[in-house]
Amino acid sequence: MLVTQDMFLIQLFIMNLWSLGVLLSKKFTVEAILLVNQHDHPHVLLLQRTMGGGGVEYKLPGGRLRHGEGEVAGLQRKLHNKLSPSEQSLRVAEWECGDCVARWFRPAFEPNYYPYLPAHVTKPKESRTVYIAQLPERCKFCVPKNLKLLAVPLFEMYANEAKYGAVAASVPYLISRFHLNLESKQDK
């Protein structure tokens, strides 16, 4: 009798989660490619986080969207939260988000992302969208204590999935369709 009562409680718990949408929820993530010119070579701004076991994780600036929030508005909010100083006079007025350059999908609760939605998957667990964002000519950054802001050269990211992960290592491919006009201070 005790077993059936426990099974009933478990089923009731799962039905409540189902009705709340917890089991059906899809995670929407947006990220930005921010390019800077250092030593006449394009670099991508990445956030570095030290993991508990001593490992390191690199990711593009951005984060998870709120329920019902648009992608561009959510990306601007995340860039303000992660990169902008809290003092209003030093903040970037509005982050200029450009083209959507990639959309990655995670079909199940596993670490792999795919640049397409597999045919057998109707509702992926996560959608990760990558935009190009324009940096103003001058701005100040303020990064949370648990993160470091790094400018990584494109040639180092190229085909280096083992170090930077699939999404960040694909940035050189994603921006190859754009013509980069690099101007140094000497040119001005």
Side-chain angles (χ1 to χ4, degrees), residues 105-114 118 120 125-126:
F105 297 97
R106 186 188 306 220
F109 294 110
E110 54 188 41
N112 299 335
Y113 285 97
Y114 299 99
H120 68 281
K125 300 300 176 207
E126 183 175 355

Side-chain angles (χ1 to χ4, degrees), residues 113 132 161:
Y113 285 97
I132 290 273
E161 186 176 330

Side-chain angles (χ1 to χ4, degrees), residues 59-114:
K59 50 189 274 189
L60 295 167
R64 194 171 177 175
L65 293 176
R66 293 178 180 153
H67 181 69
E69 185 176 35
E71 288 181 345
V72 173
L75 180 59
Q76 289 174 344
R77 177 181 60 81
K78 282 299 190 180
L79 290 175
H80 272 299
N81 291 346
K82 294 233 171 130
L83 298 177
S84 291
S86 57
E87 188 176 322
Q88 286 296 103
S89 63
L90 299 175
R91 286 188 96 141
V92 175
E94 187 170 313
W95 292 89
E96 186 179 330
C97 296
D99 294 340
C100 172
V101 294
R103 195 172 302 271
W104 294 77
F105 297 97
R106 186 188 306 220
F109 294 110
E110 54 188 41
N112 299 335
Y113 285 97
Y114 299 99

Side-chain angles (χ1 to χ4, degrees), residues 31-36 43-49 56-62 83 128 141 143 147-154 156-158 160 163-165 167-172:
E31 296 172 324
I33 298 173
L34 299 169
L35 293 173
V36 294
H43 288 59
V44 178
L45 293 181
L46 292 179
L47 294 171
Q48 177 189 6
R49 184 177 77 168
V56 176
E57 177 188 37
Y58 297 93
K59 50 189 274 189
L60 295 167
L83 298 177
R128 195 171 179 182
F141 295 114
V143 182
L147 299 172
K148 282 185 189 174
L149 185 65
L150 302 174
V152 180
L154 280 179
E156 187 178 325
M157 294 175 72
Y158 179 75
N160 199 348
K163 182 174 183 179
Y164 296 106
V167 176
S170 70
V171 168

Side-chain angles (χ1 to χ4, degrees), residues 37-41 137 181-188:
N37 181 12
Q38 282 192 334
H39 310 293
D40 293 330
H41 190 78
E137 190 171 328
N181 187 9
L182 301 175
E183 293 182 7
S184 64
K185 292 182 181 181
Q186 299 166 353
D187 296 341
K188 291 182 179 181

